[in-house]
Amino acid sequence: MTRPRNLQEATRGDDYDPNSMPVAKARELIRGFLHPIEGFETLPVRMSLGRILAEDIVSPFDVPGHDNSAMDGYALRHAGLSPEGETILQRAGESFAGRPFGGVVGPGQCVRIFTGAVMPEGTDTVVMQEQVVADAAGIHVGPGTRAGQNRRRAGDDIKSGARVFAAGQLIRPAELGMLASLGLVEVRVKRRLRVACFSTGDELRAVGAPLGPGEIHDSNRYTLFGMLTRLGCEVLDLGAIADRPELLEHALASASQNADVVITSGGVSVGDADYVKTVLDRLGEVLFWKIAMKPGRPLAYGRVGHAHFFGLPGNPVAVMVSFYEFVREALLLLMGQHPVAALPTFRVPCSTPIKKAPGRTEFQRGILEPAADGSWSVRVTGDQSSGILSSMSLANCFIVLSTEQGNVAPGALVEVKLLEGLI
Ligand code: AMP
Ligand code: MG
């Protein structure tokens, strides 16, 4: 798809139907408007965890810097070993990690060596200590040693001059360690993405405030805060806004002046959309879609001032599903992460039956667990209504049922997407 210049142009195609928007099409449309933010900061390596590199990292040297031993044992010259019988070598000294053997190993000699210690000059092979006999006559090495055995080469991990990371790399624990192994004190990372969010609804009360009849505590701002913080965004929480056009307009204007992205929850379903649309049209350019998915049907995307705008549905599960399906990827792209890898999905048997009508993508909350025989299967968490936030807490995965999929019989394979991650 060529990049549309504006939202109007994006909505011109024959297949554009705002009232029945496939998930993939909405994602593609949104992607067309995203450009990574400018701006970076320089941080001590440890502070860069979870951030995105704003520079390429080129290695100034080999890691490791010298050939070294992978085992505790004896370093020797392979050519000096008898191919058939036993060889007896004399111990010429020791090479410890960080304290190399200073001499040269001559014919008939070996050096006691420890893991990580530099291979002494004149040696190319290490025989494990368990495989030799040491006695008064010397070190007895049997036949069968391979040349270069248990030797780690200089530059095995990282070669001098290699581009270790490209700008756009997300810094996780392994990258922190690699930056440290290059001896770097500081790195240049993208500045944090600023995301303003607020909830809309006359029924919403802050935590700590008493609830009147029909009122509920505003939970969406908390799940949003959690999801945004986990992604590494700076969150500007603008509170809960009552359903009044002038309050909404004020909140949107102030959010868009202070943030790269504005996210709201509630107020985009049919009943509210009219006045919200009027306000948004005054401040920017926003499209309202009915996504062919469940939960999370209504979604608004566009621009308010210079900020990107996501209008998420109000139902607590719909907020989370829409965030993970549409907002997460968009924020990572804006943050400058490159590439943004698709989250892995895989197919497992579903132990519970699922009722589903074809025509929309469903994101059921699932519990993926091992059986006694070690094989994994998934089951649904129970009530799948979009107001049951506890289903998200119970779940460790989404069961993603494609548009075409109908009912699922017990034992049938379904696609799952993990909510839990090791790193
Ligand atoms: P709406 O999209 O505004 O029509 O809201 C849909 C449903 O989500 C209603 O039951 C709302 O009460 C509920 N809801 C909306 N916003 C929130 C929120 N911030 N926290 C919890 N529930 C909410
Ligand atoms: Mg509402």
PDB file of all heavy atoms in Angstrom, residues 198-205 214 216-224 240 243 265-272 298 312-319 386-387 389, ligand 1:
ATOM      1  N   PHE A 198      -6.856   9.941  29.247  1.00  0.00           N
ATOM      2  CA  PHE A 198      -7.935  10.233  30.189  1.00  0.00           C
ATOM      3  C   PHE A 198      -9.128   9.363  29.860  1.00  0.00           C
ATOM      4  O   PHE A 198      -9.255   8.830  28.752  1.00  0.00           O
ATOM      5  CB  PHE A 198      -8.295  11.726  30.212  1.00  0.00           C
ATOM      6  CG  PHE A 198      -8.786  12.311  28.922  1.00  0.00           C
ATOM      7  CD1 PHE A 198     -10.135  12.281  28.595  1.00  0.00           C
ATOM      8  CD2 PHE A 198      -7.902  12.930  28.046  1.00  0.00           C
ATOM      9  CE1 PHE A 198     -10.588  12.847  27.413  1.00  0.00           C
ATOM     10  CE2 PHE A 198      -8.347  13.500  26.857  1.00  0.00           C
ATOM     11  CZ  PHE A 198      -9.703  13.461  26.542  1.00  0.00           C
ATOM     12  N   SER A 199      -9.988   9.184  30.881  1.00  0.00           N
ATOM     13  CA  SER A 199     -11.205   8.395  30.705  1.00  0.00           C
ATOM     14  C   SER A 199     -12.362   9.350  30.524  1.00  0.00           C
ATOM     15  O   SER A 199     -12.307  10.494  30.986  1.00  0.00           O
ATOM     16  CB  SER A 199     -11.478   7.558  31.953  1.00  0.00           C
ATOM     17  OG  SER A 199     -10.357   6.782  32.247  1.00  0.00           O
ATOM     18  N   THR A 200     -13.417   8.872  29.870  1.00  0.00           N
ATOM     19  CA  THR A 200     -14.621   9.689  29.754  1.00  0.00           C
ATOM     20  C   THR A 200     -15.798   8.913  30.315  1.00  0.00           C
ATOM     21  O   THR A 200     -15.868   7.695  30.171  1.00  0.00           O
ATOM     22  CB  THR A 200     -14.933  10.030  28.288  1.00  0.00           C
ATOM     23  OG1 THR A 200     -15.264   8.821  27.588  1.00  0.00           O
ATOM     24  CG2 THR A 200     -13.775  10.705  27.605  1.00  0.00           C
ATOM     25  N   GLY A 201     -16.683   9.600  30.976  1.00  0.00           N
ATOM     26  CA  GLY A 201     -17.912   8.971  31.479  1.00  0.00           C
ATOM     27  C   GLY A 201     -18.410   9.649  32.738  1.00  0.00           C
ATOM     28  O   GLY A 201     -17.635   9.854  33.673  1.00  0.00           O
ATOM     29  N   ASP A 202     -19.706  10.001  32.744  1.00  0.00           N
ATOM     30  CA  ASP A 202     -20.316  10.632  33.927  1.00  0.00           C
ATOM     31  C   ASP A 202     -20.318   9.699  35.130  1.00  0.00           C
ATOM     32  O   ASP A 202     -20.393  10.148  36.267  1.00  0.00           O
ATOM     33  CB  ASP A 202     -21.784  11.005  33.603  1.00  0.00           C
ATOM     34  CG  ASP A 202     -21.855  12.185  32.652  1.00  0.00           C
ATOM     35  OD1 ASP A 202     -20.889  12.977  32.604  1.00  0.00           O
ATOM     36  OD2 ASP A 202     -22.878  12.309  31.947  1.00  0.00           O
ATOM     37  N   GLU A 203     -20.258   8.374  34.854  1.00  0.00           N
ATOM     38  CA  GLU A 203     -20.380   7.390  35.936  1.00  0.00           C
ATOM     39  C   GLU A 203     -19.061   7.135  36.668  1.00  0.00           C
ATOM     40  O   GLU A 203     -19.043   6.404  37.653  1.00  0.00           O
ATOM     41  CB  GLU A 203     -20.926   6.070  35.369  1.00  0.00           C
ATOM     42  CG  GLU A 203     -19.954   5.218  34.546  1.00  0.00           C
ATOM     43  CD  GLU A 203     -19.745   5.673  33.098  1.00  0.00           C
ATOM     44  OE1 GLU A 203     -19.877   6.879  32.828  1.00  0.00           O
ATOM     45  OE2 GLU A 203     -19.410   4.822  32.245  1.00  0.00           O
ATOM     46  N   LEU A 204     -17.958   7.736  36.186  1.00  0.00           N
ATOM     47  CA  LEU A 204     -16.645   7.368  36.718  1.00  0.00           C
ATOM     48  C   LEU A 204     -16.265   8.181  37.953  1.00  0.00           C
ATOM     49  O   LEU A 204     -16.415   9.402  37.986  1.00  0.00           O
ATOM     50  CB  LEU A 204     -15.578   7.560  35.642  1.00  0.00           C
ATOM     51  CG  LEU A 204     -15.817   6.781  34.345  1.00  0.00           C
ATOM     52  CD1 LEU A 204     -14.730   7.082  33.330  1.00  0.00           C
ATOM     53  CD2 LEU A 204     -15.899   5.283  34.630  1.00  0.00           C
ATOM     54  N   ARG A 205     -15.788   7.493  38.952  1.00  0.00           N
ATOM     55  CA  ARG A 205     -15.277   8.136  40.165  1.00  0.00           C
ATOM     56  C   ARG A 205     -13.844   7.683  40.382  1.00  0.00           C
ATOM     57  O   ARG A 205     -13.491   6.539  40.087  1.00  0.00           O
ATOM     58  CB  ARG A 205     -16.109   7.723  41.389  1.00  0.00           C
ATOM     59  CG  ARG A 205     -17.510   8.288  41.413  1.00  0.00           C
ATOM     60  CD  ARG A 205     -17.515   9.813  41.672  1.00  0.00           C
ATOM     61  NE  ARG A 205     -18.798  10.397  41.355  1.00  0.00           N
ATOM     62  CZ  ARG A 205     -19.144  10.866  40.143  1.00  0.00           C
ATOM     63  NH1 ARG A 205     -18.283  10.821  39.138  1.00  0.00           N
ATOM     64  NH2 ARG A 205     -20.333  11.361  39.932  1.00  0.00           N
ATOM     65  N   GLY A 214     -25.094   3.592  40.581  1.00  0.00           N
ATOM     66  CA  GLY A 214     -24.708   3.521  39.173  1.00  0.00           C
ATOM     67  C   GLY A 214     -23.298   4.006  38.884  1.00  0.00           C
ATOM     68  O   GLY A 214     -22.873   4.002  37.729  1.00  0.00           O
ATOM     69  N   ILE A 216     -19.094   3.901  39.110  1.00  0.00           N
ATOM     70  CA  ILE A 216     -18.033   2.885  39.221  1.00  0.00           C
ATOM     71  C   ILE A 216     -16.676   3.598  39.336  1.00  0.00           C
ATOM     72  O   ILE A 216     -16.549   4.763  38.951  1.00  0.00           O
ATOM     73  CB  ILE A 216     -17.996   1.940  37.989  1.00  0.00           C
ATOM     74  CG1 ILE A 216     -17.865   2.750  36.676  1.00  0.00           C
ATOM     75  CG2 ILE A 216     -19.232   1.051  37.936  1.00  0.00           C
ATOM     76  CD1 ILE A 216     -17.641   1.910  35.445  1.00  0.00           C
ATOM     77  N   HIS A 217     -15.717   2.881  39.875  1.00  0.00           N
ATOM     78  CA  HIS A 217     -14.370   3.453  39.900  1.00  0.00           C
ATOM     79  C   HIS A 217     -13.768   3.348  38.513  1.00  0.00           C
ATOM     80  O   HIS A 217     -14.044   2.409  37.763  1.00  0.00           O
ATOM     81  CB  HIS A 217     -13.494   2.733  40.922  1.00  0.00           C
ATOM     82  CG  HIS A 217     -13.858   3.057  42.331  1.00  0.00           C
ATOM     83  ND1 HIS A 217     -13.865   4.349  42.813  1.00  0.00           N
ATOM     84  CD2 HIS A 217     -14.251   2.266  43.356  1.00  0.00           C
ATOM     85  CE1 HIS A 217     -14.229   4.342  44.075  1.00  0.00           C
ATOM     86  NE2 HIS A 217     -14.481   3.089  44.433  1.00  0.00           N
ATOM     87  N   ASP A 218     -12.956   4.334  38.198  1.00  0.00           N
ATOM     88  CA  ASP A 218     -12.309   4.407  36.884  1.00  0.00           C
ATOM     89  C   ASP A 218     -11.139   3.435  36.865  1.00  0.00           C
ATOM     90  O   ASP A 218     -10.047   3.756  37.328  1.00  0.00           O
ATOM     91  CB  ASP A 218     -11.843   5.856  36.692  1.00  0.00           C
ATOM     92  CG  ASP A 218     -11.062   6.043  35.419  1.00  0.00           C
ATOM     93  OD1 ASP A 218     -10.911   5.068  34.654  1.00  0.00           O
ATOM     94  OD2 ASP A 218     -10.597   7.177  35.197  1.00  0.00           O
ATOM     95  N   SER A 219     -11.369   2.244  36.330  1.00  0.00           N
ATOM     96  CA  SER A 219     -10.280   1.254  36.304  1.00  0.00           C
ATOM     97  C   SER A 219      -9.445   1.370  35.030  1.00  0.00           C
ATOM     98  O   SER A 219      -8.273   0.995  35.017  1.00  0.00           O
ATOM     99  CB  SER A 219     -10.828  -0.166  36.445  1.00  0.00           C
ATOM    100  OG  SER A 219     -11.698  -0.467  35.374  1.00  0.00           O
ATOM    101  N   ASN A 220     -10.027   1.879  33.960  1.00  0.00           N
ATOM    102  CA  ASN A 220      -9.293   1.891  32.683  1.00  0.00           C
ATOM    103  C   ASN A 220      -8.004   2.691  32.742  1.00  0.00           C
ATOM    104  O   ASN A 220      -7.008   2.343  32.115  1.00  0.00           O
ATOM    105  CB  ASN A 220     -10.164   2.482  31.562  1.00  0.00           C
ATOM    106  CG  ASN A 220     -11.278   1.535  31.157  1.00  0.00           C
ATOM    107  OD1 ASN A 220     -11.257   0.377  31.536  1.00  0.00           O
ATOM    108  ND2 ASN A 220     -12.236   2.035  30.409  1.00  0.00           N
ATOM    109  N   ARG A 221      -8.042   3.785  33.512  1.00  0.00           N
ATOM    110  CA  ARG A 221      -6.829   4.598  33.582  1.00  0.00           C
ATOM    111  C   ARG A 221      -5.695   3.841  34.267  1.00  0.00           C
ATOM    112  O   ARG A 221      -4.530   4.121  34.065  1.00  0.00           O
ATOM    113  CB  ARG A 221      -7.108   5.894  34.320  1.00  0.00           C
ATOM    114  CG  ARG A 221      -7.177   7.059  33.359  1.00  0.00           C
ATOM    115  CD  ARG A 221      -7.412   8.367  34.020  1.00  0.00           C
ATOM    116  NE  ARG A 221      -8.272   8.333  35.148  1.00  0.00           N
ATOM    117  CZ  ARG A 221      -7.950   8.826  36.344  1.00  0.00           C
ATOM    118  NH1 ARG A 221      -6.764   9.351  36.547  1.00  0.00           N
ATOM    119  NH2 ARG A 221      -8.825   8.783  37.331  1.00  0.00           N
ATOM    120  N   TYR A 222      -6.056   2.887  35.087  1.00  0.00           N
ATOM    121  CA  TYR A 222      -5.034   2.097  35.777  1.00  0.00           C
ATOM    122  C   TYR A 222      -4.465   1.020  34.856  1.00  0.00           C
ATOM    123  O   TYR A 222      -3.251   0.821  34.804  1.00  0.00           O
ATOM    124  CB  TYR A 222      -5.601   1.514  37.076  1.00  0.00           C
ATOM    125  CG  TYR A 222      -5.749   2.608  38.117  1.00  0.00           C
ATOM    126  CD1 TYR A 222      -6.793   3.525  38.043  1.00  0.00           C
ATOM    127  CD2 TYR A 222      -4.799   2.770  39.110  1.00  0.00           C
ATOM    128  CE1 TYR A 222      -6.908   4.559  38.953  1.00  0.00           C
ATOM    129  CE2 TYR A 222      -4.901   3.799  40.032  1.00  0.00           C
ATOM    130  CZ  TYR A 222      -5.961   4.702  39.945  1.00  0.00           C
ATOM    131  OH  TYR A 222      -6.049   5.719  40.839  1.00  0.00           O
ATOM    132  N   THR A 223      -5.343   0.321  34.119  1.00  0.00           N
ATOM    133  CA  THR A 223      -4.804  -0.669  33.176  1.00  0.00           C
ATOM    134  C   THR A 223      -3.981   0.048  32.111  1.00  0.00           C
ATOM    135  O   THR A 223      -2.896  -0.411  31.740  1.00  0.00           O
ATOM    136  CB  THR A 223      -5.915  -1.505  32.512  1.00  0.00           C
ATOM    137  OG1 THR A 223      -6.969  -0.661  32.117  1.00  0.00           O
ATOM    138  CG2 THR A 223      -6.466  -2.555  33.444  1.00  0.00           C
ATOM    139  N   LEU A 224      -4.476   1.195  31.647  1.00  0.00           N
ATOM    140  CA  LEU A 224      -3.716   1.945  30.626  1.00  0.00           C
ATOM    141  C   LEU A 224      -2.364   2.392  31.172  1.00  0.00           C
ATOM    142  O   LEU A 224      -1.342   2.269  30.498  1.00  0.00           O
ATOM    143  CB  LEU A 224      -4.504   3.167  30.161  1.00  0.00           C
ATOM    144  CG  LEU A 224      -5.475   2.918  29.007  1.00  0.00           C
ATOM    145  CD1 LEU A 224      -6.355   4.141  28.770  1.00  0.00           C
ATOM    146  CD2 LEU A 224      -4.709   2.567  27.727  1.00  0.00           C
ATOM    147  N   ALA A 240     -10.421  11.569  34.939  1.00  0.00           N
ATOM    148  CA  ALA A 240     -11.687  11.155  34.313  1.00  0.00           C
ATOM    149  C   ALA A 240     -12.472  12.411  33.967  1.00  0.00           C
ATOM    150  O   ALA A 240     -12.587  13.325  34.787  1.00  0.00           O
ATOM    151  CB  ALA A 240     -12.481  10.276  35.264  1.00  0.00           C
ATOM    152  N   ASP A 243     -19.034  13.496  30.644  1.00  0.00           N
ATOM    153  CA  ASP A 243     -19.492  13.527  29.244  1.00  0.00           C
ATOM    154  C   ASP A 243     -20.072  14.905  28.905  1.00  0.00           C
ATOM    155  O   ASP A 243     -21.283  15.048  28.696  1.00  0.00           O
ATOM    156  CB  ASP A 243     -20.549  12.436  29.018  1.00  0.00           C
ATOM    157  CG  ASP A 243     -19.954  11.047  29.095  1.00  0.00           C
ATOM    158  OD1 ASP A 243     -18.887  10.818  28.495  1.00  0.00           O
ATOM    159  OD2 ASP A 243     -20.543  10.179  29.768  1.00  0.00           O
ATOM    160  N   SER A 265     -10.429   6.552  26.813  1.00  0.00           N
ATOM    161  CA  SER A 265     -11.276   5.359  26.859  1.00  0.00           C
ATOM    162  C   SER A 265     -12.706   5.800  27.076  1.00  0.00           C
ATOM    163  O   SER A 265     -12.973   6.749  27.806  1.00  0.00           O
ATOM    164  CB  SER A 265     -10.821   4.404  27.965  1.00  0.00           C
ATOM    165  OG  SER A 265     -11.352   4.796  29.203  1.00  0.00           O
ATOM    166  N   GLY A 266     -13.607   5.093  26.400  1.00  0.00           N
ATOM    167  CA  GLY A 266     -15.037   5.400  26.507  1.00  0.00           C
ATOM    168  C   GLY A 266     -15.427   6.489  25.534  1.00  0.00           C
ATOM    169  O   GLY A 266     -14.587   7.203  24.979  1.00  0.00           O
ATOM    170  N   GLY A 267     -16.726   6.574  25.306  1.00  0.00           N
ATOM    171  CA  GLY A 267     -17.247   7.692  24.511  1.00  0.00           C
ATOM    172  C   GLY A 267     -17.126   7.535  23.010  1.00  0.00           C
ATOM    173  O   GLY A 267     -17.418   8.480  22.277  1.00  0.00           O
ATOM    174  N   VAL A 268     -16.696   6.362  22.516  1.00  0.00           N
ATOM    175  CA  VAL A 268     -16.629   6.216  21.055  1.00  0.00           C
ATOM    176  C   VAL A 268     -17.685   5.239  20.526  1.00  0.00           C
ATOM    177  O   VAL A 268     -17.729   4.953  19.345  1.00  0.00           O
ATOM    178  CB  VAL A 268     -15.225   5.794  20.546  1.00  0.00           C
ATOM    179  CG1 VAL A 268     -14.240   6.943  20.692  1.00  0.00           C
ATOM    180  CG2 VAL A 268     -14.710   4.553  21.256  1.00  0.00           C
ATOM    181  N   SER A 269     -18.531   4.725  21.444  1.00  0.00           N
ATOM    182  CA  SER A 269     -19.601   3.841  20.949  1.00  0.00           C
ATOM    183  C   SER A 269     -20.736   4.695  20.390  1.00  0.00           C
ATOM    184  O   SER A 269     -20.754   5.912  20.567  1.00  0.00           O
ATOM    185  CB  SER A 269     -20.065   2.895  22.048  1.00  0.00           C
ATOM    186  OG  SER A 269     -20.320   3.614  23.216  1.00  0.00           O
ATOM    187  N   VAL A 270     -21.693   4.038  19.749  1.00  0.00           N
ATOM    188  CA  VAL A 270     -22.688   4.760  18.942  1.00  0.00           C
ATOM    189  C   VAL A 270     -23.368   5.891  19.713  1.00  0.00           C
ATOM    190  O   VAL A 270     -23.497   7.011  19.233  1.00  0.00           O
ATOM    191  CB  VAL A 270     -23.749   3.768  18.392  1.00  0.00           C
ATOM    192  CG1 VAL A 270     -24.767   4.493  17.533  1.00  0.00           C
ATOM    193  CG2 VAL A 270     -23.056   2.679  17.594  1.00  0.00           C
ATOM    194  N   GLY A 271     -23.762   5.613  20.945  1.00  0.00           N
ATOM    195  CA  GLY A 271     -24.495   6.602  21.720  1.00  0.00           C
ATOM    196  C   GLY A 271     -23.728   7.899  21.935  1.00  0.00           C
ATOM    197  O   GLY A 271     -24.313   8.985  21.957  1.00  0.00           O
ATOM    198  N   ASP A 272     -22.398   7.801  22.093  1.00  0.00           N
ATOM    199  CA  ASP A 272     -21.596   8.991  22.415  1.00  0.00           C
ATOM    200  C   ASP A 272     -20.948   9.625  21.202  1.00  0.00           C
ATOM    201  O   ASP A 272     -20.599  10.791  21.228  1.00  0.00           O
ATOM    202  CB  ASP A 272     -20.430   8.594  23.341  1.00  0.00           C
ATOM    203  CG  ASP A 272     -20.895   7.843  24.561  1.00  0.00           C
ATOM    204  OD1 ASP A 272     -21.560   8.465  25.390  1.00  0.00           O
ATOM    205  OD2 ASP A 272     -20.581   6.642  24.656  1.00  0.00           O
ATOM    206  N   PRO A 298     -15.845  -0.585  18.827  1.00  0.00           N
ATOM    207  CA  PRO A 298     -15.596   0.796  18.383  1.00  0.00           C
ATOM    208  C   PRO A 298     -14.135   1.196  18.594  1.00  0.00           C
ATOM    209  O   PRO A 298     -13.514   0.820  19.583  1.00  0.00           O
ATOM    210  CB  PRO A 298     -16.515   1.627  19.283  1.00  0.00           C
ATOM    211  CG  PRO A 298     -16.741   0.799  20.492  1.00  0.00           C
ATOM    212  CD  PRO A 298     -16.521  -0.639  20.126  1.00  0.00           C
ATOM    213  N   LEU A 312     -10.269   4.631  22.485  1.00  0.00           N
ATOM    214  CA  LEU A 312     -10.550   3.215  22.763  1.00  0.00           C
ATOM    215  C   LEU A 312     -11.948   3.078  23.349  1.00  0.00           C
ATOM    216  O   LEU A 312     -12.485   4.027  23.936  1.00  0.00           O
ATOM    217  CB  LEU A 312      -9.513   2.666  23.755  1.00  0.00           C
ATOM    218  CG  LEU A 312      -8.045   2.814  23.359  1.00  0.00           C
ATOM    219  CD1 LEU A 312      -7.153   2.140  24.408  1.00  0.00           C
ATOM    220  CD2 LEU A 312      -7.786   2.220  21.987  1.00  0.00           C
ATOM    221  N   PRO A 313     -12.536   1.885  23.237  1.00  0.00           N
ATOM    222  CA  PRO A 313     -13.857   1.674  23.835  1.00  0.00           C
ATOM    223  C   PRO A 313     -13.780   1.777  25.355  1.00  0.00           C
ATOM    224  O   PRO A 313     -12.688   1.804  25.925  1.00  0.00           O
ATOM    225  CB  PRO A 313     -14.224   0.251  23.407  1.00  0.00           C
ATOM    226  CG  PRO A 313     -13.050  -0.326  22.734  1.00  0.00           C
ATOM    227  CD  PRO A 313     -11.995   0.707  22.583  1.00  0.00           C
ATOM    228  N   GLY A 314     -14.932   1.842  26.008  1.00  0.00           N
ATOM    229  CA  GLY A 314     -14.937   2.019  27.464  1.00  0.00           C
ATOM    230  C   GLY A 314     -14.866   0.722  28.238  1.00  0.00           C
ATOM    231  O   GLY A 314     -14.339   0.682  29.351  1.00  0.00           O
ATOM    232  N   ASN A 315     -15.385  -0.357  27.662  1.00  0.00           N
ATOM    233  CA  ASN A 315     -15.406  -1.614  28.414  1.00  0.00           C
ATOM    234  C   ASN A 315     -13.992  -2.052  28.777  1.00  0.00           C
ATOM    235  O   ASN A 315     -13.102  -2.060  27.920  1.00  0.00           O
ATOM    236  CB  ASN A 315     -16.098  -2.702  27.587  1.00  0.00           C
ATOM    237  CG  ASN A 315     -17.603  -2.655  27.792  1.00  0.00           C
ATOM    238  OD1 ASN A 315     -18.067  -2.684  28.927  1.00  0.00           O
ATOM    239  ND2 ASN A 315     -18.349  -2.550  26.707  1.00  0.00           N
ATOM    240  N   PRO A 316     -13.789  -2.423  30.042  1.00  0.00           N
ATOM    241  CA  PRO A 316     -12.430  -2.679  30.528  1.00  0.00           C
ATOM    242  C   PRO A 316     -11.629  -3.720  29.741  1.00  0.00           C
ATOM    243  O   PRO A 316     -10.426  -3.538  29.538  1.00  0.00           O
ATOM    244  CB  PRO A 316     -12.659  -3.123  31.971  1.00  0.00           C
ATOM    245  CG  PRO A 316     -13.906  -2.403  32.368  1.00  0.00           C
ATOM    246  CD  PRO A 316     -14.773  -2.404  31.143  1.00  0.00           C
ATOM    247  N   VAL A 317     -12.248  -4.809  29.291  1.00  0.00           N
ATOM    248  CA  VAL A 317     -11.478  -5.793  28.529  1.00  0.00           C
ATOM    249  C   VAL A 317     -11.219  -5.263  27.125  1.00  0.00           C
ATOM    250  O   VAL A 317     -10.141  -5.454  26.555  1.00  0.00           O
ATOM    251  CB  VAL A 317     -12.208  -7.159  28.453  1.00  0.00           C
ATOM    252  CG1 VAL A 317     -11.347  -8.175  27.714  1.00  0.00           C
ATOM    253  CG2 VAL A 317     -12.540  -7.664  29.850  1.00  0.00           C
ATOM    254  N   ALA A 318     -12.210  -4.564  26.572  1.00  0.00           N
ATOM    255  CA  ALA A 318     -12.070  -4.002  25.223  1.00  0.00           C
ATOM    256  C   ALA A 318     -10.890  -3.023  25.182  1.00  0.00           C
ATOM    257  O   ALA A 318     -10.153  -2.957  24.195  1.00  0.00           O
ATOM    258  CB  ALA A 318     -13.357  -3.318  24.815  1.00  0.00           C
ATOM    259  N   VAL A 319     -10.703  -2.268  26.252  1.00  0.00           N
ATOM    260  CA  VAL A 319      -9.572  -1.324  26.331  1.00  0.00           C
ATOM    261  C   VAL A 319      -8.264  -2.080  26.172  1.00  0.00           C
ATOM    262  O   VAL A 319      -7.389  -1.709  25.386  1.00  0.00           O
ATOM    263  CB  VAL A 319      -9.567  -0.585  27.689  1.00  0.00           C
ATOM    264  CG1 VAL A 319      -8.267   0.163  27.904  1.00  0.00           C
ATOM    265  CG2 VAL A 319     -10.737   0.367  27.774  1.00  0.00           C
ATOM    266  N   SER A 386     -17.200  -8.275  27.818  1.00  0.00           N
ATOM    267  CA  SER A 386     -16.109  -7.303  27.742  1.00  0.00           C
ATOM    268  C   SER A 386     -15.981  -6.449  29.003  1.00  0.00           C
ATOM    269  O   SER A 386     -15.056  -5.661  29.136  1.00  0.00           O
ATOM    270  CB  SER A 386     -16.267  -6.417  26.509  1.00  0.00           C
ATOM    271  OG  SER A 386     -17.506  -5.778  26.566  1.00  0.00           O
ATOM    272  N   GLY A 387     -16.922  -6.648  29.940  1.00  0.00           N
ATOM    273  CA  GLY A 387     -16.802  -5.923  31.208  1.00  0.00           C
ATOM    274  C   GLY A 387     -16.113  -6.753  32.291  1.00  0.00           C
ATOM    275  O   GLY A 387     -15.872  -6.247  33.393  1.00  0.00           O
ATOM    276  N   LEU A 389     -13.238  -7.751  33.757  1.00  0.00           N
ATOM    277  CA  LEU A 389     -11.790  -7.485  33.766  1.00  0.00           C
ATOM    278  C   LEU A 389     -11.021  -8.622  34.442  1.00  0.00           C
ATOM    279  O   LEU A 389      -9.864  -8.878  34.120  1.00  0.00           O
ATOM    280  CB  LEU A 389     -11.524  -6.148  34.476  1.00  0.00           C
ATOM    281  CG  LEU A 389     -10.092  -5.618  34.424  1.00  0.00           C
ATOM    282  CD1 LEU A 389      -9.566  -5.528  32.997  1.00  0.00           C
ATOM    283  CD2 LEU A 389     -10.003  -4.250  35.105  1.00  0.00           C
TER     284      LEU A 389
HETATM  285  P1  AMP B   1     -18.668   3.594  26.768  1.00  0.00           P
HETATM  286  O1  AMP B   1     -17.734   3.095  25.724  1.00  0.00           O
HETATM  287  O2  AMP B   1     -18.332   4.949  27.270  1.00  0.00           O
HETATM  288  O3  AMP B   1     -20.083   3.481  26.300  1.00  0.00           O
HETATM  289  O4  AMP B   1     -18.535   2.605  28.011  1.00  0.00           O
HETATM  290  C1  AMP B   1     -18.785   1.220  27.871  1.00  0.00           C
HETATM  291  C2  AMP B   1     -18.795   0.558  29.233  1.00  0.00           C
HETATM  292  O5  AMP B   1     -17.508   0.665  29.829  1.00  0.00           O
HETATM  293  C3  AMP B   1     -19.743   1.144  30.246  1.00  0.00           C
HETATM  294  O6  AMP B   1     -20.295   0.108  31.021  1.00  0.00           O
HETATM  295  C4  AMP B   1     -18.877   2.042  31.089  1.00  0.00           C
HETATM  296  O7  AMP B   1     -19.390   2.250  32.381  1.00  0.00           O
HETATM  297  C5  AMP B   1     -17.597   1.250  31.128  1.00  0.00           C
HETATM  298  N1  AMP B   1     -16.457   2.149  31.315  1.00  0.00           N
HETATM  299  C6  AMP B   1     -16.211   3.243  30.581  1.00  0.00           C
HETATM  300  N2  AMP B   1     -15.099   3.866  31.008  1.00  0.00           N
HETATM  301  C7  AMP B   1     -14.638   3.134  32.053  1.00  0.00           C
HETATM  302  C8  AMP B   1     -13.510   3.260  32.933  1.00  0.00           C
HETATM  303  N3  AMP B   1     -12.664   4.278  32.802  1.00  0.00           N
HETATM  304  N4  AMP B   1     -13.328   2.330  33.878  1.00  0.00           N
HETATM  305  C9  AMP B   1     -14.202   1.306  33.990  1.00  0.00           C
HETATM  306  N5  AMP B   1     -15.265   1.112  33.207  1.00  0.00           N
HETATM  307  C10 AMP B   1     -15.501   2.034  32.253  1.00  0.00           C
END
